[in-house]
């Protein structure tokens, strides 16, 4: 199932919120993790709210909606899959693999990721 594509930046916010548990996330924590200003976080969160991906109480914590949880889980799955492929199959150093997986995860389709997952599973069992 291919979902709507969002900008790399918005996907990074979704992934970061997911990594913080998906509920009751503070904007200051997102700013620190993503190395951006609180104003940038606020702007992105407003966009994600408009898309129905997050809820935020006025001056409150940020939580993923059901739709936001589904999309962020998919992004995180792609990141972990790509990181595994780069480290375990291509023998890329972990730090490099993590950085490159973060870039690739935004452009790889769900269909391609599913095929890559099958390949990784096959190669790991050989």
């Amino acid at each position: 199932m291919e979902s709507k594509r969002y900008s790399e930046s918005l996907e990074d916010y979704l992934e970061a919120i997911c990594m913080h548990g998906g509920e009751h996330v503070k904007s200051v924590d997102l700013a620190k993790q993503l190395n951006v200003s609180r104003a940038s976080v606020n702007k992105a969160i407003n966009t994600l709210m408009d898309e129905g991906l997050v809820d935020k109480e006025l001056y409150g914590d940020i939580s993923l909606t059901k739709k936001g949880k589904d999309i962020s889980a998919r992004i995180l799955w792609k990141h972990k899959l790509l990181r595994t492929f780069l480290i375990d199959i291509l023998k890329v150093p972990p730090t490099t693999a993590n950085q490159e997986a973060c870039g690739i995860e935004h452009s790889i389709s769900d269909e391609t990721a599913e095929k890559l997952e099958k390949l990784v599973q096959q190669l790991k069992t050989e």
Side-chain angles (χ1 to χ4, degrees):
M1 173 181 131
E2 192 72 31
S3 58
K4 178 180 175 184
R5 301 301 290 248
Y6 297 95
S7 72
E8 183 174 329
S9 174
L10 290 179
E11 287 188 356
D12 284 342
Y13 280 96
L14 288 172
E15 186 177 15
I17 295 166
C18 184
M19 291 170 70
H20 280 279
E23 296 181 352
H24 310 294
V25 178
K26 305 219 178 293
S27 59
V28 67
D29 295 332
L30 295 177
K32 285 179 187 175
Q33 180 178 345
L34 297 170
N35 197 28
V36 296
S37 69
R38 298 249 336 248
S40 293
V41 171
N42 188 50
K43 182 178 179 187
I45 294 306
N46 286 335
T47 301
L48 292 171
M49 287 172 54
D50 290 345
E51 292 286 337
L53 302 173
V54 299
D55 290 321
K56 180 181 179 290
E57 293 183 26
L58 190 60
Y59 304 110
D61 295 343
I62 301 156
S63 296
L64 293 168
T65 63
K66 166 75 170 105
K67 181 179 174 184
K69 287 177 185 177
D70 292 344
I71 292 169
S72 63
R74 199 92 175 140
I75 296 164
L76 197 54
W77 165 72
K78 286 179 184 180
H79 181 98
K80 289 177 180 178
L81 168 64
L82 289 160
R83 187 175 189 282
T84 297
F85 174 72
L86 293 169
I87 292 171
D88 294 350
I89 307 302
L90 298 183
K91 307 300 184 202
V92 173
T95 302
T96 303
N98 197 51
Q99 291 171 344
E100 292 180 354
C102 191
I104 299 168
E105 74 194 21
H106 302 292
S107 56
I108 189 172
S109 70
D110 291 352
E111 181 182 6
T112 300
E114 288 166 2
K115 290 178 180 183
L116 181 62
E117 183 176 48
K118 288 178 184 173
L119 175 65
V120 168
Q121 289 170 353
Q122 180 183 9
L123 291 173
K124 287 178 99 176
T125 59
E126 290 180 353

